[in-house]
């Protein structure tokens, strides 16, 4: 009877194992082992049971029950892992947003531009009046008014009064169309636009607020204030590049004059040309300091440390302070040469006036001598 009972129990254990581990009937949560299986898995042979057959049966059943329990738990652990992987939401998509900055003119009428593009103007978040932010969307205006905010379907353009325009998420084949909107309100269009490329990568699952890279910036989320901060630095950078090239041309011109003076000991420059260089140097410095606002405080960055971090990183990345220092040094070189040439031209003018006076005095003396000779000839001897 003992062996028959043992064989029946073994069959029940094996049947229960097959049913529990069958992939056709997955269970949402691990079920407890059957009472008889748990007793086999965790019971130990009692020393009071004397028959050797019962002792052997209990040891064999314990080992078999332990294997059964381990495989049962492992099977449910794998099932729960697969079920959890299948039920979790997918990670947010990483978005690549191209950014292009242009410097196309020396001045833009922001008021007329706001009036013409009133429905696309983003509400201002600071008291700064040297730029206007515009948003365009592929959605109809009625849907946008409902609060739909899909960054991949929105296109932004930040236009600055000093002549820069920064475009976000706009394809290359549509850039000219957006620049035409700016050119309608621009004065002093440049024969050749200055431009620069950048990129922003949106990673909602980023552990930190931002990460920098070569020619790109990684952010958790790119919102309107972030666009304003990035656009301000890129607009200043591309405009500063234009003024640096203007000053480089003046430095080259004065360098050629100095080399000519080294060979001939003199120079040939009209006073009008020198005054034009003086005006150009002064206007460039005024535009860089006043219009570009390189040293103006950003209210957005002042209110939020995250935007201040972006601002400081981009200013360091584009070396705005160092480039302005280089520009200031070149302008001082130009100013020094202008003062020197002005003194030379002034001395030349003084010398010319002195020679004119000498010539006039000589003519007056000659006339006086002639009159004396004439008077003496008329006196009878």
């Amino acid at each position: 009877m003992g062996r028959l009972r043992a064989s029946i129990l073994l069959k029940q254990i094996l049947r229960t194992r097959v049913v529990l581990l069958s992939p056709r009937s997955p269970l949402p949560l691990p079920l407890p082992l059957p009472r008889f299986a748990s007793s086999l898995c965790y019971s130990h042979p009692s020393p009071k049971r004397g028959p050797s057959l019962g002792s052997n049966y209990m040891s064999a059943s314990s080992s078999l029950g332990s294997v059964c329990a381990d495989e049962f738990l492992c099977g449910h652990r794998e099932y729960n892992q697969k079920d959890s992987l299948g039920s979790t939401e997918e990670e947010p998509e990483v978005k690549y947003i191209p950014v292009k900055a242009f410097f196309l003119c020396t001045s833009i009428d922001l008021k007329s531009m706001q009036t013409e593009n009133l429905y696309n103007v983003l509400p201002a978040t600071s008291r700064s009046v040297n730029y206007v932010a515009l948003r365009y969307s592929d959605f109809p205006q009625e849907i946008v008014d409902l609060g739909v905010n899909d960054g991949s379907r929105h296109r932004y353009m930040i236009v600055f009064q000093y002549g820069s325009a920064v475009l976000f998420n706009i394809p290359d084949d549509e850039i000219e169309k957006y620049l035409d909107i700016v050119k309608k309100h621009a004065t002093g269009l440049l024969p050749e636009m200055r431009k620069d490329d950048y990129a922003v990568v949106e990673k909602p699952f980023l552990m930190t607020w931002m990460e920098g890279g070569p020619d790109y910036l990684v952010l958790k989320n790119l919102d309107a204030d972030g666009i304003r901060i990035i656009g301000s630095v890129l607009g200043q950078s591309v405009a500063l590049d234009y003024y640096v090239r203007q000053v480089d041309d003046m430095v080259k011109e004065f360098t050629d004059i100095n080399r000519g003076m080294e060979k001939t000991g003199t120079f040939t420059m009209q006073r009008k040309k020198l005054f034009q260089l003086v005006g150009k140097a002064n206007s460039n410095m005024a535009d860089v300091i006043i219009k570009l606002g390189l040293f103006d405080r950003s209210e957005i960055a002042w209110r939020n440390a995250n935007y201040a971090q972006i601002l400081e990183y981009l200013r360091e990345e584009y070396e705005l302070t160092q480039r302005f220092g280089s520009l200031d040094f070149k302008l001082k070189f130009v100013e020094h040469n202008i003062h020197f040439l002005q003194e030379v031209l002034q001395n030349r003018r003084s010398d010319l006036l002195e020679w004119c006076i000498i010539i006039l005095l000589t003519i007056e003396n000659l006339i006086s001598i002639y009159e004396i000779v004439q008077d003496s000839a008329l006196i009878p001897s």
Side-chain angles (χ1 to χ4, degrees), residues 115-138:
T115 303
E116 187 172 330
N117 302 271
L118 189 59
Y119 289 103
N120 302 109
V121 175
L122 285 176
T125 58
S126 65
R127 291 174 292 180
S128 179
V129 294
N130 71 329
Y131 73 90
V132 58
L134 304 173
R135 179 178 64 188
Y136 301 88
S137 177
D138 294 338

Side-chain angles (χ1 to χ4, degrees), residues 106-107 130 161-162 243 286-294 296:
T106 57
S107 180
N130 71 329
Q161 188 272 335
Y162 53 80
Y243 290 112
D287 289 342
V288 170
I289 295 178
I290 299 175
K291 287 187 177 181
L292 266 64
L294 289 178
D296 293 347

Side-chain angles (χ1 to χ4, degrees), residues 257-273:
I257 292 174
N258 291 328
R259 288 176 179 174
M261 292 177 60
E262 182 182 0
K263 294 180 180 180
T264 62
T266 184
F267 71 96
T268 57
M269 174 181 281
Q270 297 181 358
R271 192 178 185 86
K272 179 181 179 181
K273 177 65 175 178

Side-chain angles (χ1 to χ4, degrees), residues 161-212:
Q161 188 272 335
Y162 53 80
S164 290
V166 185
L167 283 60
F168 290 79
N169 202 27
I170 296 178
D172 293 340
D173 56 349
E174 298 183 12
I175 288 178
E176 195 63 32
K177 179 180 67 175
Y178 287 89
L179 292 180
D180 289 338
I181 299 175
V182 181
K183 291 178 181 179
K184 293 179 181 179
H185 311 276
T187 56
L189 289 173
L190 305 179
E192 182 180 359
M193 288 189 302
R194 308 299 308 171
K195 61 181 180 179
D196 193 9
D197 294 335
Y198 201 66
V200 177
V201 180
E202 272 191 328
K203 282 187 178 180
F205 51 87
L206 190 67
M207 299 302 296
T208 58
W209 168 252
M210 59 154 286
E211 289 181 1

